[in-house]
Amino acid sequence: MTEEVIRVRGLRMRYGDVDVLTGVDFGVRRGEVVALLGPNGAGKTTTIEILEGFRKRSDGEVTVLGADPENADEDWRARVGVVLQSWRDHARWTPRALLSHLGTYYAPYSTPDRPRPYDVDELLAMVRLQDQADQKIRTLSGGQRRRLDVAVGIVGRPELLFLDEPTAGFDPEARREFHELIHRLTDMEDTTVLLTTHDLDEADKVADRILILATGRIVADGSADELARKVDRDAQVKWTIDGQHFVHSTSDATAFVRELLSSNPNVEDLEIRRATLEDTYIALVRSVESGHGVAPIDAFAEAG
């Protein structure tokens, strides 16, 4: 079994008389990209801040990279990268100078297996800021500053990266480049990524697993396809024969299409559609918030 990087059991958080988290349980394995989704106010940022060691929990067990974040030391922090929702404006610095300066804090924690930090020119190229490397940060566009946020978060070559709404303000091209960067980090560096996002298309594209947080707990845990099957087990097959359109729902799309094609050589415009992640997310959250509830999918537990 792949090493467990994050394990959360019975996590609770109370603000005054309000219970925000009422018993959160999940795990994350090394090299996974996991997206934490949920309505506004569900406790996503609170959960992330507890895992980062920025906020004390009310109750529960939390282990991140083998340590309790509340009591973690500087060596632990050097292994963790954080990209917050908004940037801190180091207006008089340049990206090159800022990243070079921050890199000095990580150098003492280098190991033969994981040298830290990144080379600054390599890092600037990774986030597509090489042409702005020596500009004052105050002259950068909002999207460029957000790329710099990402660079700051990964300058220490983290083993675990937390991303809170990472592509807010990105244009479509920058968002695609960011997704490629995430895949590079996981494929080449074996980085584990936990991100929050309201962009369901983004979660579908980059995440290995989706966690849905609602009413203070994880109500669904699985790949986008697993969650879609949870909500609607049937796929919708559409096709055309001699200009006539057909639609059929089936629980076994592969077998149905195989039989369809073997008996109808004139099939055109064949399309198989399952519930999108947006369909799934809305259905699950509405079900839970209405009090009907759903049986959570625990892909992590099943795989383990």
Side-chain angles (χ1 to χ4, degrees):
M1 181 172 134
T2 305
E3 179 187 354
E4 191 174 79
V5 174
I6 297 174
R7 169 48 72 184
V8 178
R9 296 184 186 275
L11 176 60
R12 295 178 177 272
M13 190 66 197
R14 167 173 285 193
Y15 295 106
D17 296 329
V18 178
D19 289 314
V20 176
L21 304 177
T22 59
V24 172
D25 298 275
F26 68 91
V28 179
R29 292 193 181 103
R30 182 170 297 280
E32 276 194 303
V33 180
V34 176
L36 181 62
L37 310 181
N40 288 331
K44 300 186 300 297
T45 296
T46 294
T47 300
I48 292 289
E49 289 178 346
I50 290 171
L51 298 179
E52 294 167 342
F54 292 156
R55 187 177 298 277
K56 291 188 176 182
R57 60 191 180 273
S58 299
D59 198 7
E61 298 179 5
V62 177
T63 304
V64 178
L65 292 174
D68 183 337
E70 283 191 19
N71 307 311
D73 58 17
E74 292 302 314
D75 180 70
W76 180 90
R77 296 196 176 280
R79 300 164 63 196
V80 175
V82 177
V83 178
L84 302 174
Q85 287 189 23
S86 59
W87 65 77
R88 294 182 179 180
D89 200 349
H90 306 275
R92 291 179 291 181
W93 292 72
T94 66
R96 186 190 303 280
L98 178 62
L99 295 173
S100 297
H101 174 70
L102 294 176
T104 62
Y105 292 99
Y106 292 93
Y109 301 99
S110 292
T111 67
D113 294 332
R114 202 173 190 94
R116 295 183 170 91
Y118 273 111
D119 174 80
V120 171
D121 287 327
E122 178 187 4
L123 181 57
L124 287 165
M126 287 170 64
V127 297
R128 304 292 194 268
L129 282 177
Q130 60 268 53
D131 292 340
Q132 292 79 33
D134 299 307
Q135 291 181 208
K136 296 294 186 183
I137 292 175
R138 64 171 175 265
T139 68
L140 302 182
S141 68
Q144 289 167 345
R145 291 189 187 199
R146 195 62 181 143
R147 294 186 198 186
L148 182 58
D149 282 344
V150 174
V152 168
I154 66 175
V155 63
R157 206 185 295 264
E159 297 173 41
L160 173 61
L161 178 61
F162 293 104
L163 301 169
D164 201 358
E165 298 290 340
T167 58
F170 278 17
D171 58 35
E173 182 179 2
R175 185 173 291 110
R176 176 176 293 183
E177 291 173 350
F178 174 77
H179 296 166
E180 292 173 354
L181 173 60
I182 292 300
H183 290 304
R184 171 179 173 173
L185 291 173
T186 56
D187 293 343
M188 300 182 64
E189 302 283 353
D190 204 25
T191 307
T192 306
V193 178
L194 179 60
L195 68 97
T196 69
T197 181
H198 286 291
D199 187 336
L200 299 182
D201 181 62
E202 175 171 85
D204 196 10
K205 288 179 178 176
V206 304
D208 301 307
R209 286 170 48 226
I210 308 291
L211 304 175
I212 298 180
L213 180 64
T215 64
R217 61 192 179 95
I218 300 295
V219 299
D221 178 352
S223 68
D225 186 59
E226 286 170 334
L227 299 188
R229 291 176 186 273
K230 176 71 174 180
V231 171
D232 186 359
R233 294 186 177 275
D234 287 348
Q236 190 177 71
V237 182
K238 298 181 180 181
W239 72 98
T240 302
I241 298 178
D242 299 328
Q244 187 173 358
H245 300 285
F246 299 89
V247 180
H248 179 75
S249 293
T250 176
S251 60
D252 191 343
T254 301
F256 179 82
V257 169
R258 185 182 295 117
E259 181 178 350
L260 174 67
L261 294 176
S262 65
S263 59
N264 297 277
N266 297 325
V267 170
E268 298 178 337
D269 302 325
L270 180 64
E271 178 185 352
I272 302 173
R273 183 185 184 277
R274 290 194 178 276
T276 65
L277 180 57
E278 180 176 348
D279 297 332
T280 303
Y281 171 80
I282 291 172
L284 286 170
V285 170
R286 284 180 176 174
S287 176
V288 171
E289 291 184 339
S290 68
H292 294 114
V294 293
I297 295 176
D298 190 352
F300 186 88
E302 291 171 2

